[in-house]
């Protein structure tokens, strides 16, 4: 059985001045279910080597390998991609 996910605020990780690309899509790993609302920050934020190392350590503890997408990018089809929050 799974466990219930705790709500997580992503607000501290977003730079509002950069905006984000928003679109509806699907999971990139099985079961590749539809209905996912993706938000991809439109720019980069600085990170120290220590911050990156801490993120990678957390990733290794919480997500099984391999990391990343299990399939190639999918065609846009009729999806709308919007720049929001700028």
């Amino acid at each position: 059985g799974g466990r219930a996910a705790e709500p997580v605020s992503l607000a501290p990780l977003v730079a509002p001045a950069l905006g984000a690309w928003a679109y509806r899509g699907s999971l990139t790993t099985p079961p590749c279910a539809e209905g996912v609302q993706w938000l991809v920050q439109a720019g980069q934020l600085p990170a120290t080597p220590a911050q990156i190392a801490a993120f990678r350590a957390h990733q290794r503890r919480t997500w099984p390998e391999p990391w990343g997408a299990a399939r190639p990018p999918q065609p846009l089809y009729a999806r709308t991609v919007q720049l929001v929050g700028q």
Side-chain angles (χ1 to χ4, degrees), residues 24-29 31-38 71 74-75 77 79:
R24 306 254 330 142
S26 59
L27 295 175
T28 60
T29 57
C32 300
E34 296 280 334
V36 176
Q37 176 68 44
W38 288 99
R71 64 180 182 169
Q74 301 298 295
Y77 295 118
R79 287 193 264 278

Side-chain angles (χ1 to χ4, degrees), residues 8-24:
V8 174
S9 173
L10 300 180
L13 304 176
V14 176
L18 297 176
W21 297 105
Y23 63 95
R24 306 254 330 142

Side-chain angles (χ1 to χ4, degrees), residues 1 3 9 12 17 19 22-23 25 30-31 33 47-48 51 59 62 68-69 73 76 79 82:
R3 58 180 184 198
S9 173
Y23 63 95
T48 66
Q51 289 170 320
Q59 189 178 38
T62 57
L76 186 60
R79 287 193 264 278
Q82 296 178 301

